[in-house]
Each structure stands twice: as structure tokens, then as C-alpha cells.
Amino acid sequence: MTDFEAQLRAVSLRVTRPRLAVLTALRDHPHVDTETVIELVRAEHPTVSHQTIYDVLRALTDTGLVRRIQPAGATARYESRVGDNHHHVVCRTCGAIADVDCAVGHTPCLTASDDHGFVIDQAEVVYWGTCPECAATRTPE
């Protein structure tokens, strides 16, 4: 049994080829949008329908095996890195996204000044900037 099979069974999902294909695509290509997931899965399994892939993404997200992120102004993206409180850095030019581990030590902006009675279990931080590739192609002003 593969790790993906064990993960699916652990959340009471049947092991199916489309589910395994989506998990593989997200492991190999983190932070991709739905259309890219469809392209990746259909490259290996051309008979899998768009609707099946949408359904798989929803089931995997609902069970916590996949995380859906949507930086402001961007389409939703999916990643299989779950279970930790990591953050993301997004390129303002090309939209590339990379993982950023949660800050350690003194992190004043990750502690709410007023929790309004909420039990806070996660903070979401998005860093914005320019990726190395876009920075290298910028012309100096």
C-alpha cells in the first residue's frame, strides 16, 4: 500500500485512480490551479473527466488531505502540504507561489491583539514580492 492509499483510507475515502492521480500531481507540482491539475491528471489518465477532478479536489480539501489557498487577486491553488501552519510568498509579477515556514521566536503580528472571543488555531500570512526570475528580467529605471 502506498502512502497516498493509506492517507485516503485514514479519512474514509475509497482509493481510486483519479484520487491517486490528483495527489501525485499536487505532490509533484505544488500550488497549481484547477486547470493545471486537470492537465496533469489527464496527461496520465485521459479518460478522467473535468467534473471528476473537481469532485476529487473538493473531497480531498474537505477531508484535509489537500489545502486550498487563494491569494488576493489570484485563482485558487491547491497543495498537498498540510498539517503545519506554513505561509506563502507570492510574486506580484508572475504569480509564482512558494512555501514559507512559520516564523519562530518573537512573532508579534501572529498573535491577535484582540481575539474577540475566538479560539484561534491558525494564522495565515501571505508575503508579496518579486520572484528571482522576474527580478532578473526587470529593467533598471
Side-chain angles (χ1 to χ4, degrees):
M1 179 168 39
T2 67
D3 286 343
F4 290 151
E5 290 171 346
Q7 290 173 0
L8 290 167
R9 287 189 174 107
V11 295
S12 300
L13 289 177
R14 287 183 310 113
V15 176
T16 65
R17 284 188 310 152
R19 288 177 179 158
L20 293 172
V22 168
L23 286 169
T24 299
L26 295 177
R27 178 198 61 206
D28 296 343
H29 305 275
H31 311 120
V32 291
D33 62 16
T34 305
E35 290 304 313
T36 303
V37 174
I38 290 169
E39 290 172 15
L40 292 166
V41 169
R42 293 192 77 192
E44 297 293 320
H45 306 283
T47 60
V48 175
S49 72
H50 285 64
Q51 188 60 51
T52 297
I53 296 170
Y54 281 108
D55 293 344
V56 167
L57 285 169
R58 185 173 28 262
L60 296 176
T61 301
D62 289 348
T63 58
L65 291 179
V66 165
R67 181 177 174 194
R68 181 182 185 272
I69 60 170
Q70 189 166 9
T75 59
R77 307 290 183 94
Y78 295 88
E79 65 180 348
S80 59
R81 182 177 172 184
V82 296
D84 65 351
N85 189 20
H86 73 277
H87 308 294
H88 298 96
V89 60
V90 181
C91 179
R92 289 184 189 279
T93 305
C94 71
I97 300 174
D99 290 335
V100 177
D101 288 332
C102 193
V104 294
H106 182 65
T107 54
C109 59
L110 294 182
T111 303
S113 61
D114 182 352
D115 64 19
H116 298 277
F118 284 67
V119 177
I120 298 173
D121 60 10
Q122 182 177 356
E124 184 174 312
V125 175
V126 177
Y127 301 95
W128 293 89
T130 306
C131 73
E133 290 82 16
C134 291
T137 61
R138 270 193 163 164
T139 55
E141 295 178 11

